[in-house]
Amino acid sequence: MQKRTFYCTSLLFVAALLVCSCVRKNENTVATAPPHLEQRGGVTQLIVQGKPWLALGCELGNSTSSSREYMKDVWPKLKESGVNTVLAVVSWEQTEPLEGLFDFTVVDGLLADARKNDMKLALLWFGSWKNGITSYTPTWVKRDTERFPLAQTPEGKPLPILTTLGDATCQADAKAFAAMMRHLKEVDARQQTVVMIQMENEVGLHGHPRDYCPLAEEAYRSAVPQQLIDWLTAHKETLLPETRAAWEANGCRTEGSWEEVFGPEDRAAEVFMAWHYASYMDRITEAGKQEYDLPTFVNAWIVQPEDTRPGNYPSGGPQAQNHDIWRAAAPHIDILSPDIYLNDFPEILALYARSANPVFIPESRSGQNGAANAAYAIGAMGAIGYSPFGFERNCDADANATFCQFYKKAGCVADTILAAQAEGRIAAAWLKGSEPMRVKDTIALGDVHIVCELISSGMRNGGAPQLTGGTYNPDAMGYVIAIQQADGYLFLGSNARVTFLPASGEGIVGLAKVTEGDYDKRGRWHEGRWLNGDEIQLRYDLLYAVEEGFSGQGLNFGRPEPQFLKAELFCY
């Protein structure tokens, strides 16, 4: 009897262990959806562990993440600089050094070290192409050009670029990528360290508008795929101007070869390449998402001022003029992102925000220029995030001090920024001394117009010193982020002065209360001085100011170092 009792007790003990095991297993399961994109108000936001995430990023140099030992000294510098999201390369050649043999050492090292430093990761999958060139493929791919064919010139010379028509290549790339995504789900679904994936890098064909290998020649002479024709037809009323112009030039034909539908010029060749790059990459993306459905983006080597035709820039890449073609061919790719190193950041970014394309900038500048870019992208365009390229190389340099200060301050108010994005309570100005049309910007927010002006050496009427108008340093850059709050406005500004006009055009806007202060890492406001007198009196030519609709008072962000100010307004 005692033996039987012991047996029953043992069963109860085993059952209890099973229950505990199940509870422990449930604790390790994902309680929330994986990182994903979500429409909130008028913007698309990145949701991580159930909350919006503002990616204050850094894209590492191409080879930096290939060695965990090399990265040891990089992590603390990035953490100190205010970076919260690291864009790091994971290459096909390191992931699958021998066909069918997968090695996730690089991925696991990045995960461990990112978690240790309380950062998120966006992994850049360098597979078939990097900057349009094939260099990150495994040796067994490089050596077998019969199985993995290359693009060719019109004369039949092979280029160091895999053709988009290589079915075996696409399958092999997709297999390796899917294996990595499967591994990520196994080791990171709960922690959600990896929040996004970049597919390849700046793809497109160099040298010529299109590929001339035998596979491409046959495809170019064939009919335009019905999938593309159907998409164009279904979206005819909302096509981008570049797509509409190419299609309408030949009468919006719904059948025929590429030249018959899009014309005999370079544009048809570029559309052809865009279709095949996007289709190829969508197959890889779909294979990965079947394993672990993370947000994916591609990045564009954008058209440069000196470029005269496709092939001067990588033809067929996700440049702004090709977005309709990419959307038709690659529904599994979520964001078509620009790499922006050119001067007029706002104008270029606007091209990449058309047709509700989510805004994310994976490569751009750092320094004061980069701070202005990031502020504008986040404040004016509802960006998911911003990332200077190769930032780890000089993030602790004096030239990047104001950039790091901006990242740190933006990081402290990330929740406030994200809520304001979703609710339409945020705006921003981008100011540049060398651009006459960019030394001032007026943004509308609430019931006021906020006039932002680059700092200058000004003289008022009559010759007395003045803090608005005058001569602008061509090298100076400034920015202002404005957030409407229940009791007034919160500003984060640099190298700028701010004045106010009533949106109705009636009356004058005055400053009821202005305070400086700062936020701690928990997002709590610590008030400093109450500003008045010389600190907010920007003009003393009051008769002229009043005639122009201004009070003469305003906010002075008179140095490159970013600063928070809060302002309560009144109208008289």
Side-chain angles (χ1 to χ4, degrees):
M1 186 68 180
Q2 287 182 334
K3 184 176 182 181
R4 186 175 179 182
T5 303
F6 178 74
Y7 177 70
C8 292
T9 303
S10 299
L11 286 177
L12 290 172
F13 178 70
V14 170
L17 284 177
L18 288 173
V19 169
C20 290
S21 176
C22 289
V23 170
R24 192 172 297 113
K25 183 177 181 181
N26 287 337
E27 287 175 352
N28 289 326
T29 58
V30 182
T32 59
H36 62 280
L37 300 181
E38 189 173 301
Q39 188 74 22
R40 296 198 168 191
V43 300
T44 300
Q45 294 186 327
L46 174 62
I47 309 301
V48 181
Q49 292 179 322
K51 294 177 57 179
W53 178 260
L54 182 65
L56 302 171
C58 156
E59 179 170 333
L60 302 174
N62 297 155
S63 302
T64 301
S65 61
S66 66
S67 166
R68 189 177 185 186
E69 181 67 25
Y70 186 89
M71 283 289 294
K72 279 185 179 179
D73 295 331
V74 170
W75 290 107
K77 291 197 300 181
L78 293 181
K79 188 174 182 65
E80 176 60 27
S81 71
V83 168
N84 67 13
T85 307
V86 175
L87 282 67
V89 172
V90 174
S91 68
W92 185 5
E93 63 180 346
Q94 283 189 290
T95 300
E96 193 181 10
L98 298 174
E99 187 170 7
L101 179 64
F102 298 106
D103 183 347
F104 302 111
T105 302
V106 171
V107 172
D108 291 340
L110 288 168
L111 287 172
D113 294 335
R115 291 169 186 167
K116 186 185 303 182
N117 289 278
D118 195 27
M119 292 189 192
K120 299 297 184 184
L121 290 168
L123 298 184
L124 316 183
W125 176 250
F126 280 15
S128 295
W129 303 286
K130 188 270 173 186
N131 288 25
I133 297 171
T134 298
S135 56
Y136 281 83
T137 53
T139 302
W140 54 270
V141 173
K142 289 184 175 80
R143 288 176 171 167
D144 193 350
T145 56
E146 184 172 339
R147 182 181 170 195
F148 308 114
L150 300 174
Q152 295 181 12
T153 69
E155 299 76 25
K157 293 183 178 180
L159 294 165
I161 302 170
L162 286 165
T163 179
T164 58
L165 280 298
D167 186 64
T169 319
C170 186
Q171 288 183 24
D173 193 333
K175 181 180 178 182
F177 179 66
M180 184 193 74
M181 296 300 286
R182 183 165 55 251
H183 179 73
L184 276 181
K185 185 174 183 179
E186 291 171 354
V187 300
D188 192 50
R190 181 169 178 265
Q191 292 92 335
Q192 297 190 10
T193 313
V194 178
V195 297
M196 288 196 294
I197 303 290
Q198 177 181 295
M199 304 304 301
E200 315 289 350
N201 187 80
E202 293 185 349
V203 302
L205 189 74
H206 289 272
H208 292 279
R210 72 173 179 89
D211 182 4
Y212 288 88
C213 78
L215 292 169
E217 283 286 83
E218 180 182 355
Y220 191 67
R221 290 192 297 268
S222 301
V224 173
Q226 192 62 42
Q227 180 185 342
L228 176 54
I229 295 295
D230 290 345
W231 194 95
L232 294 174
T233 303
H235 297 83
K236 188 174 183 179
E237 300 305 316
T238 57
L239 292 176
L240 296 174
E242 300 91 334
T243 313
R244 180 181 295 277
W247 193 30
E248 285 184 345
N250 276 24
C252 295
R253 294 186 57 164
T254 57
E255 60 180 3
S257 69
W258 293 90
E259 290 191 353
E260 288 170 341
V261 175
F262 296 107
E265 306 298 330
D266 289 349
R267 184 62 183 142
E270 183 177 24
V271 170
F272 169 80
M273 292 307 302
W275 174 262
H276 285 286
Y277 272 110
S279 299
Y280 183 109
M281 290 172 62
D282 191 65
R283 289 174 60 189
I284 300 170
T285 306
E286 182 180 16
K289 286 197 170 193
Q290 286 176 350
E291 299 293 342
Y292 188 28
D293 189 0
L294 290 182
T296 58
F297 65 94
V298 292
N299 61 326
W301 172 325
I302 65 176
V303 181
Q304 304 296 301
E306 66 273 16
D307 293 339
T308 58
R309 66 184 304 206
N312 297 150
Y313 56 89
S315 180
Q319 291 89 12
Q321 71 273 15
N322 296 331
H323 280 192
D324 281 335
I325 312 305
W326 275 75
R327 289 190 184 94
H332 295 94
I333 293 173
D334 300 299
I335 309 174
L336 308 174
S337 296
D339 293 345
I340 307 178
Y341 297 97
L342 297 179
N343 290 330
D344 199 343
F345 183 86
E347 182 178 339
I348 295 166
L349 194 57
L351 289 175
Y352 284 81
R354 296 180 297 176
S355 302
N357 184 43
V359 178
F360 178 67
I361 303 93
E363 288 188 37
S364 194
R365 296 173 173 173
S366 55
Q368 177 68 4
N369 189 334
N373 290 351
Y376 182 83
I378 292 166
M381 305 298 291
I384 288 168
Y386 178 89
S387 173
F389 176 72
F391 186 52
E392 81 281 6
R393 300 166 184 165
N394 57 7
C395 60
D396 52 358
D398 290 344
N400 275 320
T402 59
F403 183 90
C404 294
Q405 289 162 1
F406 170 78
Y407 259 18
K408 290 176 182 179
K409 290 185 181 295
C412 290
V413 291
D415 289 345
T416 299
I417 288 172
L418 290 162
Q421 283 183 343
E423 296 164 13
R425 298 185 288 104
I426 188 170
W430 184 90
L431 308 168
K432 188 168 186 176
S434 61
E435 303 288 336
M437 301 302 293
R438 296 287 186 184
V439 295
K440 288 186 180 181
D441 192 12
T442 300
I443 53 182
L445 193 61
D447 56 2
V448 296
H449 288 166
I450 301 169
V451 182
C452 306
E453 179 184 0
L454 191 68
I455 57 169
S456 63
S457 56
M459 301 294 289
R460 75 171 174 91
N461 292 293
Q466 198 64 34
L467 294 181
T468 62
T471 303
Y472 303 94
N473 182 343
D475 296 325
M477 292 204 69
Y479 56 87
V480 176
I481 294 178
I483 298 175
Q484 186 180 13
Q485 299 185 310
D487 57 351
Y489 292 84
L490 169 66
F491 294 90
L492 176 57
S494 163
N495 269 355
R497 296 191 174 97
V498 175
T499 50
F500 303 90
L501 292 170
S504 66
E506 300 294 329
I508 293 176
V509 177
L511 296 180
K513 178 183 175 183
V514 178
T515 54
E516 65 182 9
D518 214 344
Y519 287 86
D520 61 26
K521 292 181 179 180
R522 297 178 66 181
R524 297 175 300 190
W525 171 252
H526 297 271
E527 187 171 275
R529 295 183 300 168
W530 287 35
L531 302 183
N532 211 324
D534 291 345
E535 279 68 46
I536 63 170
Q537 195 68 43
L538 302 187
R539 299 178 64 172
Y540 286 93
D541 56 340
L542 294 184
L543 294 181
Y544 292 99
V546 170
E547 284 186 8
E548 297 167 13
F550 294 100
S551 69
Q553 294 182 328
L555 309 180
N556 184 12
F557 301 95
R559 59 182 189 269
E561 293 78 16
Q563 178 186 8
F564 285 116
L565 292 177
K566 286 189 174 185
E568 296 179 24
L569 310 179
F570 71 101
C571 194
Y572 61 92

